[in-house]
Amino acid sequence: MTKNEILSSDIEVRITAARNPNTPVDVLAELAKDSDWYVRSNVAGNPNTPVDVLAKLAKDSNWNVRYYVACNPSTPAEVLAELAKDSDCDVRYYVACNPSTPAEVLAELAKDSDCDVRITVARNPNTPAEALAELAKDSDCDVRYYVACNPSTPAEALAELAKDSDSDVRREVARNPNTPAEVLAKLG
């Protein structure tokens, strides 16, 4: 199909073209302007969408479109940093999931008011040790649980988590390869 045929096709064709990694970038750029949010969200999730198009879609009024930009591993760091400030917690959640999210952005998301965002930061292996140490003190036991699971959690934080009131947290400390032998001895 030609570019014009795709752009003038019904919604199912436009959606399929938007998600296809073989769709030419000039067609993706045009589909990013589609009036239907679902077409735009599929462009946002396409790993071959040009970064300038992703940057524009990151400002879309529909949170679903921004969510797909946040998920896209091709999204540039500066765009992820902006999306980390999004008013929608689902968008921030997916920024925290993205393997391309910079450590400094993850450190900021570690302070998020939404528990699910903090859990996702705690699970991310790229989260800086300092942020994991702070999350180890979180009031939510699920956050502490995922800090205990994270192979990047520093030994000092694991030592504190070994004293946690939640047995699931302590169990994950015992499983963590960074847990010092002396901490493991106290757990047993």
Side-chain angles (χ1 to χ4, degrees):
M1 293 182 84
T2 67
K3 176 179 172 179
N4 288 337
E5 288 172 330
I6 292 170
L7 297 175
S8 61
S9 291
D10 65 45
I11 189 158
E12 293 304 320
V13 171
R14 295 190 328 268
I15 290 168
T16 303
R19 74 169 54 125
N20 187 326
N22 295 318
T23 298
V25 294
D26 65 318
V27 176
L28 289 172
E30 288 302 315
L31 288 170
K33 303 171 191 170
D34 199 281
S35 62
D36 189 278
W37 70 266
Y38 198 61
V39 173
R40 296 191 315 276
S41 68
N42 278 278
V43 173
N46 190 318
N48 292 325
T49 298
V51 294
D52 62 315
V53 174
L54 289 171
K56 289 176 188 159
L57 289 170
K59 296 177 174 115
D60 198 280
S61 61
N62 187 293
W63 73 270
N64 289 285
V65 176
R66 298 190 313 274
Y67 146 99
Y68 277 96
V69 175
C71 292
N72 192 325
S74 300
T75 300
E78 60 274 8
V79 174
L80 290 168
E82 282 305 309
L83 288 171
K85 301 171 193 166
D86 199 278
S87 61
D88 191 283
C89 65
D90 289 329
V91 173
R92 298 189 313 272
Y93 172 91
Y94 282 101
V95 170
C97 288
N98 192 316
S100 301
T101 299
E104 60 273 11
V105 174
L106 290 168
E108 282 303 309
L109 287 170
K111 303 170 194 168
D112 199 276
S113 61
D114 186 87
C115 179
D116 290 332
V117 172
R118 295 192 316 277
I119 287 171
T120 307
V121 172
R123 295 176 73 176
N124 191 319
N126 298 324
T127 299
E130 305 79 38
L132 288 168
E134 283 304 309
L135 287 170
K137 302 171 194 168
D138 200 278
S139 62
D140 188 281
C141 68
D142 290 332
V143 173
R144 297 190 313 274
Y145 172 88
Y146 285 108
V147 171
C149 292
N150 193 319
S152 300
T153 299
E156 304 79 34
L158 290 166
E160 286 304 310
L161 288 170
K163 304 171 198 168
D164 200 277
S165 61
D166 189 285
S167 63
D168 292 334
V169 172
R170 294 190 310 272
R171 183 186 69 235
E172 293 308 316
V173 169
R175 287 183 181 164
N176 194 307
N178 282 344
T179 302
E182 62 272 11
V183 174
L184 289 172
K186 290 179 186 174
L187 280 170

